[in-house]
Amino acid sequence: MRIRRLSDWLPTTKKEVKLRGWDELDVILFSGDAYVDHPAFGPAVIGRILESYGLKVAIVPQPSVNDNLQDFTKLGTPRLFFAVTAGCMDSMVSNYTASKRRRDKDAYTPNGDKGFRPDYATTVYTKILKEKFPDTPVLIGGIEASLRRVTHYDYWSDKLMPSILQSSEADMLVYGMGEQPLRELVSLLQRGVPFESLKTIKQTAVLLGDGEKIPKNKNWEDVHIASHENCLADKKAYAANFKIIEQESNKLYARRIFQEIGTETLMINPPYPTMTEKEIDGSFDLPYTRMPHPKYNKRGPIPAYEMIKFSVNIHRGCFGGCSFCTISAHQGKFIASRSKESVLKEVDELTQMEDFKGYLSDIGGPSANMYQMKGKIQSICDKCVAPSCISPVICSNLDTSHKPLTDLYQAVDAHPKIKKSFIGSGIRHDMLVPEFNKNADPNELDAYTEEVMTKHVSGRLKVAPEHTSDPVLKLMRKPSFTYFHKFKDRFDKINRKRKLNLQLIPYFISSHPACEPEDMANLAAETKDMGFQLEQVQDFTPTPMTVATVIYYSGYHPYTLKEVNTPKTKQEKLDQHKFFFWYKKENKKWIKDTLTKVGRTDLLKKLLPTDTSWRKNKPKKVRNTFDDTVVLQKNKTKKRNTRKRGRN
C-alpha cells in the first residue's frame, strides 16, 4: 500500500499551496461537497482535469457563507478564473425531500452533517465571488448549473426561474460532463485569448448583453426559443421550449440555442460529440487518491463516499430517456464506455487499498447494463432526434449485446484479490426480455441474467418497473408492465434451476404526471397479486430539465402540447401514496370508500377481500438499499436457509 502525503491531494488551504511551492494559482474551484479525491465525485474530476492541462489548481470545499466570508478570499485571486459547482447533486435535491422537508443528513458531508451547503449553492457562491473579485471571471458547472442553464421550473420555490447564468451573474456555464469544453477553454486561455472573448466553445453557455453582436460560426445552425418573459406569461410556450432543448441536447450535430431574458440573450452552444474510449479512459486514469481529504479524518465518514468506496464506474450516459430522470440531460443519451484495460487497472488499484476486503460494491454506471452499447450504423445515429433509444421500442440500429459486459465481469472476478463483485447499479430488466429486446440473442440475454444472479448479487436483485399502468409508463418512456412479468418468469426460472432463493426487488414511483388514483389502486392490487408488498416508495420530485417536471408545472406535454393531468396538491400526493400501504389498518376504510365511490369494487376485492386468508402467509420485511425503498415480499424460505444466506 502506498503511503499518502498531504500534497497528493489538490491543495485546500494557503499552507497546502505553499507546500507545493506555488506562489499563485491558476484556478480556484469552489464546491458544495466535501472534497473526496475520487473519479465518482465531479468536483475532484474537474480539479484533476484542470491539473492535467498544466494548471495550478486548488479546491475550496463547502466554504462558509455565514461568517466574514474568509473562505472566499483566503487563497487570493486566481490567474485565470474561479470555478464553481454545487457538487454532485442539485443543492435543493440534496437539502430537501420530495415533500419539501429539510433533510436530516447530507450524504456529501462528513458524518452526514447538514448545514454545510446553502440552498442554490452555485448562485450563492458565485455572487459572493463576483462581489469580492468583480474583475475575475467565474465559470459555473456541475449538475445544478447544467440543468438550470435555461428557463426552468424550481419546485422548491414553486416558480419559473431564468437561466442560472443570470441569477448567479456568472461569466460562463459549462453544461454536461466538463472534460472536453475545459480542454478547449484552457488551451485558448494559455494562448493568450481573453476570457471575455471565449463565446464559441462547444458545450458552454453565455449571456450576451443588450446590443452585443452574436458571434459567428459557419458550422452551426441556430434556433430561437420563447423568451423567459414569454414563458412566464404562457405555460404552453414554456412547454414547447423543452422539446427543442431536449432534442438539441441529445443530437450529435445540434443547433445553437438562443433565448431572450429581458435585455440579455442567452446563447447555448452545441454539445461536444460523445467522449471516445481514449478520452474517458484518460479522465478515469488521472492520479486520484480515491480518498477524502485528510482534513476530515476526525469529523467522521462521508456517507456518499462510503457507499461507492469500492465501486467502479464503467460508462457514462443513458439512452433510456426516462421522463423523470436527468441523466441523459446531463450526461447525454450516447454511451461513453471505458476500455476493459482501464477498468481492470482501477480494480487493481482498489485491491491495494488498506481496508479492501476483497469485495467490490458495484461495477456499473447510470444503468448497469449499457456498457459498450451503441448504434450499429453511425450515420443513422448522426441524424437521430429521438430522446430515447428504447422507448417506445428498442431501436433496430441499437446494438444491445450484453456479451462485452459479461466478459468484463468475468475478467474482474479473475483478479486474484477479488472475492466477489456486486452489481449495485439499477439493471434495465426490460432489455433482458427477448419479447421486448427482439434484436438480441435470447441465449445471450439469459447468460447475462444468470451471470448476474449467480455471481453478482447478495440475496436480492433490484429493478425499476416504476409503475403498472401502461398510460403512465408510456409517458415515463418505460415499457409495459407485462415485460416485468416476463422478466420475473425468467428470474424465477433461473432461481429454481440454480436453487438460489434470490428476491426480486421492484422500485415504483407515485404521483407521477398522468397517474390517477385508479392507476395506483391497480398498482397496489397487481403487485399484491405477485407477492409484493411495497413501503416507502419514491414520490415523484420535479427537478429541472425533465419532461415530467415540464408537465408538472405547465400541464402540457412538451411533444404534443396536449393537457396532462398531474397530482400536485399535498392531499393528492398523500392519497396516491396511501395505496402502497393498503395493508395498514388506518388506510383500509379510506381505500374502501375511495374505490367504492369510483365503482372499482373489483380492485377493492383484490386489495381487501372479505376473508383474511392473505394474512396466513404474511410477507416478510426486506429492506432495500435502492433509494430507501422497503419491499415486503412473500418468503416461504426456512429460517435456517435465511441464516445461511446471511453468512454468505
Side-chain angles (χ1 to χ4, degrees), residues 562-583:
K562 292 182 179 178
E563 293 187 18
V564 179
N565 187 44
T566 303
K568 294 185 71 171
T569 68
K570 185 176 179 179
Q571 190 60 50
E572 285 177 315
K573 286 175 168 286
L574 180 62
D575 287 351
Q576 290 218 3
H577 205 65
K578 282 180 182 177
F579 279 107
F580 287 102
F581 305 102
W582 54 267
Y583 51 87

mmCIF file of all heavy atoms in Angstrom, residues 562-583:
data_model
loop_
_atom_site.group_PDB
_atom_site.id
_atom_site.type_symbol
_atom_site.label_atom_id
_atom_site.label_comp_id
_atom_site.label_asym_id
_atom_site.label_seq_id
_atom_site.Cartn_x
_atom_site.Cartn_y
_atom_site.Cartn_z
ATOM 1 N N LYS A 562 -50.546 18.655 -25.590
ATOM 2 C CA LYS A 562 -51.851 18.264 -25.059
ATOM 3 C C LYS A 562 -51.804 18.314 -23.539
ATOM 4 O O LYS A 562 -50.764 18.095 -22.919
ATOM 5 C CB LYS A 562 -52.213 16.847 -25.528
ATOM 6 C CG LYS A 562 -52.487 16.754 -27.018
ATOM 7 C CD LYS A 562 -52.877 15.324 -27.404
ATOM 8 C CE LYS A 562 -53.189 15.223 -28.899
ATOM 9 N NZ LYS A 562 -53.531 13.840 -29.302
ATOM 10 N N GLU A 563 -52.967 18.607 -22.932
ATOM 11 C CA GLU A 563 -53.028 18.709 -21.478
ATOM 12 C C GLU A 563 -52.844 17.333 -20.831
ATOM 13 O O GLU A 563 -53.328 16.321 -21.343
ATOM 14 C CB GLU A 563 -54.356 19.325 -21.036
ATOM 15 C CG GLU A 563 -54.508 20.788 -21.444
ATOM 16 C CD GLU A 563 -55.755 21.429 -20.861
ATOM 17 O OE1 GLU A 563 -56.300 20.859 -19.889
ATOM 18 O OE2 GLU A 563 -56.176 22.469 -21.363
ATOM 19 N N VAL A 564 -52.135 17.317 -19.721
ATOM 20 C CA VAL A 564 -51.907 16.091 -18.953
ATOM 21 C C VAL A 564 -52.210 16.384 -17.491
ATOM 22 O O VAL A 564 -51.651 17.317 -16.913
ATOM 23 C CB VAL A 564 -50.445 15.599 -19.076
ATOM 24 C CG1 VAL A 564 -50.244 14.334 -18.243
ATOM 25 C CG2 VAL A 564 -50.083 15.345 -20.525
ATOM 26 N N ASN A 565 -53.093 15.595 -16.918
ATOM 27 C CA ASN A 565 -53.434 15.794 -15.510
ATOM 28 C C ASN A 565 -52.292 15.304 -14.622
ATOM 29 O O ASN A 565 -51.677 14.276 -14.892
ATOM 30 C CB ASN A 565 -54.719 15.035 -15.157
ATOM 31 C CG ASN A 565 -55.197 15.349 -13.744
ATOM 32 O OD1 ASN A 565 -55.214 16.497 -13.328
ATOM 33 N ND2 ASN A 565 -55.563 14.318 -13.004
ATOM 34 N N THR A 566 -51.999 16.070 -13.583
ATOM 35 C CA THR A 566 -50.887 15.729 -12.695
ATOM 36 C C THR A 566 -51.280 15.974 -11.241
ATOM 37 O O THR A 566 -51.793 17.043 -10.919
ATOM 38 C CB THR A 566 -49.650 16.598 -13.011
ATOM 39 O OG1 THR A 566 -49.295 16.420 -14.371
ATOM 40 C CG2 THR A 566 -48.474 16.204 -12.133
ATOM 41 N N PRO A 567 -51.055 14.987 -10.364
ATOM 42 C CA PRO A 567 -51.307 15.233 -8.935
ATOM 43 C C PRO A 567 -50.311 16.259 -8.405
ATOM 44 O O PRO A 567 -49.100 16.062 -8.528
ATOM 45 C CB PRO A 567 -51.095 13.852 -8.297
ATOM 46 C CG PRO A 567 -50.288 13.081 -9.279
ATOM 47 C CD PRO A 567 -50.616 13.618 -10.632
ATOM 48 N N LYS A 568 -50.809 17.341 -7.843
ATOM 49 C CA LYS A 568 -49.932 18.417 -7.401
ATOM 50 C C LYS A 568 -50.114 18.793 -5.938
ATOM 51 O O LYS A 568 -49.149 19.162 -5.267
ATOM 52 C CB LYS A 568 -50.145 19.668 -8.273
ATOM 53 C CG LYS A 568 -49.723 19.478 -9.729
ATOM 54 C CD LYS A 568 -49.844 20.766 -10.529
ATOM 55 C CE LYS A 568 -48.793 21.776 -10.124
ATOM 56 N NZ LYS A 568 -48.755 22.946 -11.026
ATOM 57 N N THR A 569 -51.352 18.733 -5.455
ATOM 58 C CA THR A 569 -51.573 19.169 -4.081
ATOM 59 C C THR A 569 -51.037 18.138 -3.098
ATOM 60 O O THR A 569 -50.864 16.953 -3.433
ATOM 61 C CB THR A 569 -53.070 19.390 -3.800
ATOM 62 O OG1 THR A 569 -53.743 18.117 -3.818
ATOM 63 C CG2 THR A 569 -53.698 20.308 -4.837
ATOM 64 N N LYS A 570 -50.816 18.600 -1.895
ATOM 65 C CA LYS A 570 -50.309 17.714 -0.842
ATOM 66 C C LYS A 570 -51.273 16.563 -0.602
ATOM 67 O O LYS A 570 -50.859 15.409 -0.407
ATOM 68 C CB LYS A 570 -50.098 18.520 0.441
ATOM 69 C CG LYS A 570 -49.459 17.730 1.564
ATOM 70 C CD LYS A 570 -49.202 18.626 2.767
ATOM 71 C CE LYS A 570 -48.568 17.819 3.901
ATOM 72 N NZ LYS A 570 -48.283 18.669 5.096
ATOM 73 N N GLN A 571 -52.584 16.854 -0.649
ATOM 74 C CA GLN A 571 -53.583 15.826 -0.408
ATOM 75 C C GLN A 571 -53.610 14.792 -1.534
ATOM 76 O O GLN A 571 -53.716 13.583 -1.290
ATOM 77 C CB GLN A 571 -54.975 16.456 -0.252
ATOM 78 C CG GLN A 571 -56.046 15.487 0.246
ATOM 79 C CD GLN A 571 -55.708 14.903 1.606
ATOM 80 O OE1 GLN A 571 -55.368 15.636 2.546
ATOM 81 N NE2 GLN A 571 -55.768 13.582 1.734
ATOM 82 N N GLU A 572 -53.501 15.259 -2.777
ATOM 83 C CA GLU A 572 -53.477 14.331 -3.914
ATOM 84 C C GLU A 572 -52.285 13.385 -3.818
ATOM 85 O O GLU A 572 -52.407 12.173 -4.049
ATOM 86 C CB GLU A 572 -53.408 15.115 -5.226
ATOM 87 C CG GLU A 572 -54.705 15.776 -5.642
ATOM 88 C CD GLU A 572 -54.548 16.607 -6.908
ATOM 89 O OE1 GLU A 572 -53.551 17.363 -7.010
ATOM 90 O OE2 GLU A 572 -55.409 16.494 -7.795
ATOM 91 N N LYS A 573 -51.142 13.935 -3.477
ATOM 92 C CA LYS A 573 -49.943 13.109 -3.350
ATOM 93 C C LYS A 573 -50.090 12.108 -2.203
ATOM 94 O O LYS A 573 -49.709 10.931 -2.320
ATOM 95 C CB LYS A 573 -48.717 13.998 -3.116
ATOM 96 C CG LYS A 573 -48.245 14.748 -4.372
ATOM 97 C CD LYS A 573 -47.104 15.685 -4.018
ATOM 98 C CE LYS A 573 -46.417 16.214 -5.261
ATOM 99 N NZ LYS A 573 -45.574 15.224 -5.927
ATOM 100 N N LEU A 574 -50.643 12.575 -1.087
ATOM 101 C CA LEU A 574 -50.841 11.696 0.067
ATOM 102 C C LEU A 574 -51.804 10.568 -0.266
ATOM 103 O O LEU A 574 -51.576 9.406 0.085
ATOM 104 C CB LEU A 574 -51.367 12.512 1.253
ATOM 105 C CG LEU A 574 -51.631 11.738 2.551
ATOM 106 C CD1 LEU A 574 -50.331 11.130 3.077
ATOM 107 C CD2 LEU A 574 -52.245 12.660 3.600
ATOM 108 N N ASP A 575 -52.879 10.908 -0.983
ATOM 109 C CA ASP A 575 -53.870 9.891 -1.353
ATOM 110 C C ASP A 575 -53.258 8.834 -2.267
ATOM 111 O O ASP A 575 -53.524 7.636 -2.112
ATOM 112 C CB ASP A 575 -55.074 10.550 -2.042
ATOM 113 C CG ASP A 575 -55.954 11.323 -1.065
ATOM 114 O OD1 ASP A 575 -55.721 11.191 0.156
ATOM 115 O OD2 ASP A 575 -56.836 12.072 -1.526
ATOM 116 N N GLN A 576 -52.438 9.260 -3.234
ATOM 117 C CA GLN A 576 -51.798 8.281 -4.113
ATOM 118 C C GLN A 576 -50.862 7.387 -3.315
ATOM 119 O O GLN A 576 -50.787 6.170 -3.527
ATOM 120 C CB GLN A 576 -51.030 8.997 -5.230
ATOM 121 C CG GLN A 576 -51.940 9.672 -6.242
ATOM 122 C CD GLN A 576 -51.417 9.552 -7.656
ATOM 123 O OE1 GLN A 576 -50.400 8.928 -7.915
ATOM 124 N NE2 GLN A 576 -52.130 10.151 -8.589
ATOM 125 N N HIS A 577 -50.174 7.988 -2.389
ATOM 126 C CA HIS A 577 -49.199 7.255 -1.590
ATOM 127 C C HIS A 577 -49.869 6.179 -0.738
ATOM 128 O O HIS A 577 -49.292 5.113 -0.488
ATOM 129 C CB HIS A 577 -48.449 8.245 -0.704
ATOM 130 C CG HIS A 577 -47.087 7.790 -0.289
ATOM 131 N ND1 HIS A 577 -46.056 7.589 -1.178
ATOM 132 C CD2 HIS A 577 -46.585 7.465 0.936
ATOM 133 C CE1 HIS A 577 -44.973 7.189 -0.527
ATOM 134 N NE2 HIS A 577 -45.271 7.105 0.751
ATOM 135 N N LYS A 578 -51.095 6.455 -0.280
ATOM 136 C CA LYS A 578 -51.797 5.532 0.615
ATOM 137 C C LYS A 578 -52.012 4.165 -0.012
ATOM 138 O O LYS A 578 -52.060 3.158 0.693
ATOM 139 C CB LYS A 578 -53.149 6.123 1.027
ATOM 140 C CG LYS A 578 -53.079 7.192 2.094
ATOM 141 C CD LYS A 578 -54.474 7.692 2.426
ATOM 142 C CE LYS A 578 -54.432 8.808 3.469
ATOM 143 N NZ LYS A 578 -55.791 9.346 3.750
ATOM 144 N N PHE A 579 -52.155 4.121 -1.328
ATOM 145 C CA PHE A 579 -52.424 2.842 -1.969
ATOM 146 C C PHE A 579 -51.265 1.862 -1.798
ATOM 147 O O PHE A 579 -51.469 0.651 -1.849
ATOM 148 C CB PHE A 579 -52.740 3.044 -3.455
ATOM 149 C CG PHE A 579 -54.157 3.471 -3.709
ATOM 150 C CD1 PHE A 579 -54.451 4.771 -4.083
ATOM 151 C CD2 PHE A 579 -55.200 2.572 -3.556
ATOM 152 C CE1 PHE A 579 -55.760 5.171 -4.319
ATOM 153 C CE2 PHE A 579 -56.514 2.960 -3.782
ATOM 154 C CZ PHE A 579 -56.792 4.262 -4.166
ATOM 155 N N PHE A 580 -50.065 2.365 -1.592
ATOM 156 C CA PHE A 580 -48.942 1.471 -1.346
ATOM 157 C C PHE A 580 -49.047 0.813 0.026
ATOM 158 O O PHE A 580 -48.434 -0.205 0.287
ATOM 159 C CB PHE A 580 -47.617 2.231 -1.438
ATOM 160 C CG PHE A 580 -47.236 2.585 -2.838
ATOM 161 C CD1 PHE A 580 -47.417 3.874 -3.311
ATOM 162 C CD2 PHE A 580 -46.710 1.645 -3.694
ATOM 163 C CE1 PHE A 580 -47.066 4.206 -4.598
ATOM 164 C CE2 PHE A 580 -46.356 1.969 -4.994
ATOM 165 C CZ PHE A 580 -46.539 3.256 -5.453
ATOM 166 N N PHE A 581 -49.848 1.434 0.884
ATOM 167 C CA PHE A 581 -49.993 0.921 2.246
ATOM 168 C C PHE A 581 -51.401 0.390 2.486
ATOM 169 O O PHE A 581 -51.990 0.597 3.532
ATOM 170 C CB PHE A 581 -49.658 2.025 3.248
ATOM 171 C CG PHE A 581 -48.308 2.633 3.034
ATOM 172 C CD1 PHE A 581 -48.165 3.868 2.414
ATOM 173 C CD2 PHE A 581 -47.171 1.959 3.426
ATOM 174 C CE1 PHE A 581 -46.912 4.412 2.208
ATOM 175 C CE2 PHE A 581 -45.917 2.508 3.221
ATOM 176 C CZ PHE A 581 -45.781 3.731 2.618
ATOM 177 N N TRP A 582 -51.931 -0.315 1.513
ATOM 178 C CA TRP A 582 -53.291 -0.849 1.594
ATOM 179 C C TRP A 582 -53.471 -1.791 2.778
ATOM 180 O O TRP A 582 -54.579 -1.949 3.303
ATOM 181 C CB TRP A 582 -53.636 -1.596 0.305
ATOM 182 C CG TRP A 582 -52.635 -2.659 -0.047
ATOM 183 C CD1 TRP A 582 -51.561 -2.522 -0.860
ATOM 184 C CD2 TRP A 582 -52.600 -4.011 0.429
ATOM 185 N NE1 TRP A 582 -50.840 -3.698 -0.935
ATOM 186 C CE2 TRP A 582 -51.467 -4.628 -0.147
ATOM 187 C CE3 TRP A 582 -53.417 -4.751 1.284
ATOM 188 C CZ2 TRP A 582 -51.129 -5.956 0.105
ATOM 189 C CZ3 TRP A 582 -53.088 -6.073 1.539
ATOM 190 C CH2 TRP A 582 -51.952 -6.664 0.952
ATOM 191 N N TYR A 583 -52.376 -2.391 3.234
ATOM 192 C CA TYR A 583 -52.448 -3.379 4.312
ATOM 193 C C TYR A 583 -52.483 -2.740 5.695
ATOM 194 O O TYR A 583 -52.681 -3.418 6.696
ATOM 195 C CB TYR A 583 -51.248 -4.334 4.217
ATOM 196 C CG TYR A 583 -49.929 -3.618 4.118
ATOM 197 C CD1 TYR A 583 -49.240 -3.225 5.260
ATOM 198 C CD2 TYR A 583 -49.381 -3.307 2.875
ATOM 199 C CE1 TYR A 583 -48.041 -2.555 5.172
ATOM 200 C CE2 TYR A 583 -48.172 -2.637 2.782
ATOM 201 C CZ TYR A 583 -47.507 -2.266 3.920
ATOM 202 O OH TYR A 583 -46.316 -1.596 3.829
#
